[in-house]
Each structure stands twice: as structure tokens, then as C-alpha cells.
Amino acid sequence: MSDSLALSLSGVSKSFDKTAILKGINLDVRKGEFISLLGPSGCGKTTTLNLIAGFSKPDAGDILISGRRVNDMPSHHRHLGMVFQGHALFPHMNCFDNVAFGLRMRKAADSEIRSRVGEALELVRLSGMEKRFPRELSGGQQQRVGLARALAVKPEILLLDEPLSNLDAKLRKAMQSELRAIHTKIRTTMVYVTHDQEEALTLSNRIAVMNDGRLEQLDTPEGIYLQPRTRFVADFIGSSNFLRGTVIECRPGSVVAKLETGENAIVRTDKNLPAGSEIQLGVRSDRILVLSADAPISQGALSGKVLDRVFAGSQFQILVEVASGQRISVHLNEAPSANVVPGASVRLEIAPSNWMILQ
Amino acid sequence: MKISVTSIFAFIIYAIIIAPVLMVVGASFTETRFIAFPPQGFTLDWYWRALNDRALMGGLWLSVTIALTAVGISTVLGTMAAIYLARPKAFGGAVLSSFFLAPLNVPAVMTAFALLLAFTRWGLINWYGLVAAHVVLTLPYVVRSVLVSLAGLDSSIQRAAGILGASPLRVFWHVTLPLIRPGVVAGAIFSFLISFNNVPVSVFISSPGSAPLPVVLFNRMQWLAEPSVAAAATIAIVATISTMLILERRFSFYQSMFR
């Protein structure tokens, strides 16, 4: 089992000036995996990356790279690669020398350096740019040199610290698909820090959602999106609405819950929740149907009043106030019927499988 | 070309700075036995005299050796100090940096007096004492300008080098040093000028008979205001200006400083 692990963090904690930044992180990364550390700023994702890189030491817990404990191993012995937020290229060296730096530090032979640098630059589609200096390159090209420089040494793990956040939206998209293609091709284990949920969803094999120094959930992008474990995850990734409820009936495969709006909802779940237990429910904004108030009544619908209707390009966004006074945001891919306008009474229908039980 | 008010001001200020220098140069050509400006007649005799004057040439040689040695020492020490002080968690950083910059804020005569008291007791009123005193004087300039260079340095560049397998020493040699070189060179050049032109400290520390050039000139001016003093000063000025021009060509020194 541990042979297939590229990286393993167990109980890793770190404080700065008596403020706990990481509160016991456990994380196993398999060889060849692309894993994202996703969370808001200050959640500890960059600190985690810096600990893996060896820029600082954990106060408690162990970091294992390929099964070896590296807590006390300095950065330059860890055999890692890293791509930085600002490209961090060596401004006094041309592309070739930048990419060759790691190989030279490893005292590789000249012929090997030449072929490895060539390969790396070809991988990022920058062949022919060897003589250019970083300042002569565009932002996207600089970041690709940064990637080539990190990959040229064939690192055990490639660490990426928000590498695309300084690029404009279009370039970022292009670089995302390029990064995906490169990962598919070379299968290097990658640990990617980002606060951009879309980036994490599109790039990763698995996502580690972090919040306030803890790992909230570690799952595949689908798992994170469709079965968030906590309210934080449901809220941070995608747009969600939250309602409290009390279980009133337990059926095989589902429960009936009385919502704080006074209405009942059928919630699909494999969990065995006794009647009377309080639960936190959530529903994705794009998993709600809006029906006019005179549609035939079905079980598990919420009635409410439309507050706002916005056209946001790829979708329509409707804001509905329900009986408890909460505002439910609904995202529709197609235009709602013309009578869904501010002031109108509507019913919101939520399928049992679209309710999420959160912690 | 339009002449603006600011360019007139600039011209006046340049004139004020350069005029005394031109007077010295002019006076060195006079045929009179005393320093006169405007020069009367034209002769190169005073240069011949100055070049054959053992005290003057000895002073020049002493100045050069002291300046080069002191600059070498303070460049190395000052760069090391600045690198330590630039660390975010430098122990006693604030205290140490004001310590290193103190000679900038204390009148040179005070520093000189303090050094005289200490060096007399330690028997250092000689070449070594002069070098040590000049290191004290010039260190702040190196620390200052290297600190400025380091402040403009993206720390992730050094981290990048480290994670690519470079030990801290090799990170310094291959990445940090090339990137702060303009600051190091600027500090070294300033130090050279400060040391080469220093009078107050050198006056206290030097023993009669072995004094650096500015002290010799200073004494001569008091007792024997011969045009050979102006000639020696001119030689020193020409040497300084040509050094600056060569360095400017070689390192684009002013550009790198005021970028």
C-alpha cells in the first residue's frame, strides 16, 4: 500500500506566532495522481505546500515522500519540482539555463542536460526559445518555462502554487488544458494549490478541500460536487442553499424531514437517521425546478415568492423567498416561464436525490 | 531645444559643484610659487614636482592600498551582514541594522575620536588601524545598498533554486549574488570614494610620515600652499573620474543604482 503512495501527511500541524495555521492534516497522495488543495485564502493550503517543499518544518506530525520521512530533510535534498505563483524564473539566465539549472545542480553530463532541456521545452511547446531571457517572454510563456524547469529534473512530486492566478482568464483556460495534457502524458504526481474551484474541478483526480487549517473533505471532483460532506464544502464549491430540518419518518433509502419552512421534504439517504434528529440539508442552485404556483401539488415542494430574476449569460438566476424567510437561489439553464417575475408566487421542486445531508 | 527653468537651476547647481574643482585644476598650471587662480602663465613643472615628491606619492600609494583593502573587506562583510539583516526573522535585526548604519549618523570627527582612543591603546596607529577605521566608515554604504537590492529580490526565486537541488551556498553563488550584484558594486564604489577622500578619520589614525593623500594635501595646504598640491589633487581627481567612467561603462553603475 505504502509503495503506491507518493506523499503522505499524518497529523501535520503548524503554528506561526502562536496562531495555529494547520490543525492536524492527514493526506495520502497516490503515485501519478493530480491532487488539488482547494480552499479560501488563509485556509492553510499554501502552508501545507511549503511544508511538503521543505521551506518550513511541521510542529507535529510526519511528512513522507515515497515512504521516506522527510521532516528534517532540507528542501534541496527532497527531489521535488515546484512551479510558483509569480514564475520565479532566474532573470539573469536564459530559458535554456533556467531549465538546465536543476540538472546542473545534480551534476548531470552536458549531453544529458541538452537532451533533457530539449525534451522539457518541447513538452511545454517552447522549443526554439532557448536563448530568450525571461523578460522577453509573455506571462504564459514564463509560466511554461517555470513548468519545464521543474519537470526537467523528473521530480518525484511536482508542487504547483497557484501557478495560473497571475494570468488572464483566457490564457488561464488554455494553460489548464495544457497542464491536463502534460499530466496525462508524463503521469508525474502533482499537488496543486488553488482557490479557484473550477480549476480544481477540471484538473484534479482528487480534491482536498481545506478550511481553517483542517481538511474538510478529500474526494474526486464529482464526489466533492455531488456529495459534499460538510456545509462548508457545499457552500465553497458551486452555489448551494441551506435549510435545517427534523427527521419525522425513516423509510428504507430515504427519510422525510420537516423543514424549517414548515414543509416536508423527502431526502434520499443510506444513513439510518432516527425520527427526531436534527439535520442540516443543502441543495445545489442548479438542482431546483421552478414551477408556477398553480401546478399540481407534489410532495416535497417549497412555496415561495420571486424576489429577483437575472439573466447571467449561460444561465438564469432566480431568487426566491421561502416561508421561513430564507432566500433560495435557483440557477436555470433555460428561460423560466414568463410569469416567473418578481412578486410572483412559485413552487420549488427538489428531487429526493438532490437533497444533501451535511455536517 | 527649449531651455526650462529647471534646466537653468540644474546648470547653476552643476556650476557650483564643479567650479572649485576647475579652480584646483587651473591653479595647478600656474607659474607662480603659490596657488593662484586664475593661473598666471602655463607650466607643467608642478606635476613634475608632485610626481617626484615622496610624501605626496607615498600618500597616494597609501590611499590606494588602504581604499582597496578596506573596500574588499567591507564589501564582503557588508554583503554578509545585509543578507542576514534582510531575513524576515533576523535575530536582533532592528538593533543590528542601526548598529551597522550608525557611522552614517554620527559625525565623522566623533567616530575618529573614538577610534583614536581605542587604537592608541591597541597600538593600531598604523596601516592596519587605517584599514580598520576605513572599514568602519565604509561598511554602512555597502550594507545600505545591498539591503536595497535584496529588498527588490523575489524570495521565491531563491526557493526555486533550493528546490531544484541547490544547497544554500550554491543558491547564494548562482542566484542571489548575481541578482544583487548592482547593489554590491554600487556599495563598493561608494566605499572606495568615501575611503579615498576621507580626511577626519585618517588625520586621527595616521602617524606622521605615513599619511594618506588627503591628509598630506591637508597638511601641505596649511604649511606650504604650493601649486604642487593642486597638481597632486588634479592627479587624484583625474584618477577618480576615469575610474568612475570605466565602471559606468562596465556595470552601467548609475543606471543600476537609480533604477
Side-chain angles (χ1 to χ4, degrees):
Chain A
M1 173 65 193
S2 69
D3 287 351
S4 62
L5 285 183
L7 173 71
S8 170
L9 307 185
S10 56
V12 170
S13 301
K14 180 74 184 171
S15 304
F16 288 110
D17 298 329
K18 288 177 186 144
T19 313
I21 303 294
L22 292 182
K23 302 164 182 170
I25 297 284
N26 296 302
L27 176 67
D28 285 342
V29 181
R30 293 188 280 266
K31 283 217 161 89
E33 198 172 19
F34 192 123
I35 201 157
S36 287
L37 305 182
L38 174 66
S41 55
C43 71
K45 55 190 192 296
T46 299
T47 305
T48 308
L49 202 71
N50 286 344
L51 290 175
I52 299 169
F55 299 146
S56 55
K57 279 186 186 181
D59 298 337
D62 285 328
I63 300 173
L64 281 77
I65 294 175
S66 300
R68 251 190 330 161
R69 186 174 178 276
V70 297
N71 284 33
D72 301 310
M73 188 189 278
S75 199
H76 61 281
H77 288 154
R78 293 193 183 190
H79 200 76
L80 302 171
M82 186 155 177
V83 182
F84 295 81
Q85 187 171 4
H87 54 81
L89 295 176
F90 307 127
H92 58 301
M93 298 182 197
N94 63 23
C95 287
F96 184 92
D97 293 333
N98 263 283
V99 178
F101 187 86
L103 299 164
R104 290 195 173 127
M105 290 302 118
R106 286 165 171 75
K107 304 210 165 62
D110 274 354
S111 56
E112 196 196 344
I113 290 175
R114 247 172 290 138
S115 70
R116 294 268 286 270
V117 171
E119 270 170 47
L121 284 174
E122 198 184 310
L123 191 65
V124 299
R125 300 190 296 111
L126 281 179
S127 301
M129 301 288 223
E130 286 84 353
K131 292 276 180 290
R132 298 277 190 94
F133 278 84
R135 62 176 177 275
E136 299 169 328
L137 302 175
S138 70
Q141 289 173 329
Q142 288 170 338
Q143 207 46 290
R144 274 159 37 203
V145 176
L147 187 61
R149 180 178 69 176
L151 288 173
V153 299
K154 299 203 192 311
E156 300 209 29
I157 305 169
L158 179 66
L159 307 174
L160 302 109
D161 185 9
E162 309 214 20
L164 308 183
S165 62
N166 286 350
L167 307 178
D168 64 62
K170 221 172 194 148
L171 193 55
R172 198 153 62 220
K173 279 261 183 267
M175 287 290 289
Q176 279 175 18
S177 54
E178 204 160 323
L179 206 51
R180 252 185 92 85
I182 288 170
H183 180 250
T184 312
K185 192 168 170 190
I186 61 172
R187 287 281 156 208
T188 299
T189 311
M190 299 193 185
V191 179
Y192 191 97
V193 162
T194 181
H195 61 265
D196 183 333
Q197 43 157 312
E198 201 198 321
E199 208 163 275
L201 290 171
T202 45
L203 288 173
S204 320
N205 300 124
R206 286 194 299 162
I207 299 174
V209 183
M210 294 183 64
N211 177 38
D212 192 26
R214 290 201 174 80
L215 194 62
E216 290 271 336
Q217 188 170 0
L218 176 63
D219 209 336
T220 59
E222 283 162 42
I224 295 277
Y225 191 82
L226 298 174
Q227 286 135 25
R229 213 165 53 80
T230 64
R231 181 177 167 151
F232 174 84
V233 175
D235 200 23
F236 189 72
I237 292 140
S239 165
S240 300
N241 301 287
F242 304 100
L243 287 168
R244 301 203 148 272
T246 314
V247 176
I248 54 175
E249 192 189 337
C250 195
R251 298 173 181 174
S254 66
V255 293
V256 180
K258 191 177 182 65
L259 300 174
E260 54 189 315
T261 60
E263 289 142 321
N264 286 353
I266 302 169
V267 179
R268 176 174 293 170
T269 178
D270 298 329
K271 287 180 198 149
N272 209 350
L273 296 162
S277 45
E278 299 275 328
I279 51 174
Q280 170 73 58
L281 289 169
V283 61
R284 293 281 181 201
S285 295
D286 55 2
R287 300 293 154 110
I288 303 174
L289 289 177
V290 181
L291 305 172
S292 56
D294 51 7
I297 292 176
S298 61
Q299 209 178 2
L302 306 175
S303 49
K305 206 171 78 182
V306 176
L307 292 179
D308 199 6
R309 170 185 171 142
V310 178
F311 174 63
S314 60
Q315 53 182 209
F316 287 85
Q317 297 176 354
I318 317 278
L319 198 61
V320 176
E321 190 177 81
V322 293
S324 54
Q326 269 144 310
R327 289 165 179 200
I328 306 287
S329 83
V330 184
H331 296 174
L332 300 170
N333 288 329
E334 282 168 33
S337 65
N339 54 12
V340 177
V341 288
S345 292
V346 290
R347 286 223 320 271
L348 302 178
E349 202 168 81
I350 297 155
S353 60
N354 283 337
W355 280 112
M356 309 177 287
I357 299 178
L358 306 169
Q359 287 170 16
Chain B
M1 198 179 83
K2 226 182 103 189
I3 296 170
S4 65
V5 179
T6 39
S7 66
I8 292 171
F9 268 117
F11 180 79
I12 292 171
I13 288 167
Y14 277 130
I16 292 171
I17 295 172
I18 293 170
V21 178
L22 292 178
M23 284 175 72
V24 171
V25 175
S28 69
F29 298 117
T30 188
E31 281 177 10
T32 53
R33 286 195 54 79
F34 47 88
I35 287 180
F37 190 86
Q40 291 161 25
F42 180 87
T43 175
L44 290 175
D45 275 1
W46 299 115
Y47 284 88
W48 183 246
R49 287 253 198 138
L51 288 170
N52 286 305
D53 186 320
R54 291 190 119 194
L56 283 177
M57 288 304 112
L60 180 62
W61 176 244
L62 194 62
S63 275
V64 169
T65 57
I66 287 168
L68 290 179
T69 314
V71 166
I73 294 171
S74 60
T75 303
V76 172
L77 290 182
T79 303
M80 290 184 346
I83 284 170
Y84 179 75
L85 292 172
R87 284 160 64 157
K89 280 187 278 186
F91 176 76
V95 177
L96 282 176
S97 62
S98 44
F99 172 77
F100 279 116
L101 299 179
L104 277 182
N105 305 323
V106 178
V109 179
M110 304 290 280
T111 311
F113 186 57
L115 289 171
L116 174 66
L117 291 182
F119 285 7
T120 310
R121 176 169 296 183
W122 300 336
L124 273 176
I125 305 299
N126 51 29
W127 187 84
Y128 297 99
L130 276 168
V131 167
H134 283 217
V135 168
V136 171
L137 278 180
T138 54
L139 200 57
Y141 294 91
V142 178
V143 173
R144 250 274 148 81
S145 73
V146 175
L147 270 178
V148 170
S149 287
L150 284 168
L153 194 63
D154 176 3
S155 65
S156 62
I157 291 177
Q158 287 155 293
R159 288 180 160 188
I163 208 158
L164 283 165
S167 63
L169 209 62
R170 299 175 92 185
V171 172
F172 174 77
W173 187 251
H174 292 292
V175 176
T176 313
L177 190 58
L179 293 179
I180 61 170
R181 201 185 62 174
V184 176
V185 171
I189 291 172
F190 262 129
S191 298
F192 184 86
L193 295 177
I194 294 292
S195 164
F196 193 73
N197 294 321
N198 182 272
V199 174
V201 173
S202 300
V203 159
F204 280 70
I205 307 299
S206 54
S207 52
S210 69
L213 184 63
V215 176
V216 176
L217 295 177
F218 186 72
N219 289 334
R220 284 284 174 91
M221 285 304 291
Q222 282 180 305
W223 305 114
L224 179 73
E226 219 183 44
S228 61
V229 174
T234 305
I235 292 170
I237 290 167
V238 170
T240 310
I241 290 177
S242 33
T243 311
M244 296 299 285
L245 285 176
I246 291 166
L247 289 171
E248 167 64 27
R249 278 283 162 79
R250 176 72 183 78
F251 295 110
S252 307
F253 157 58
Y254 282 109
Q255 280 171 32
S256 62
M257 263 184 62
F258 301 113
R259 201 166 37 190

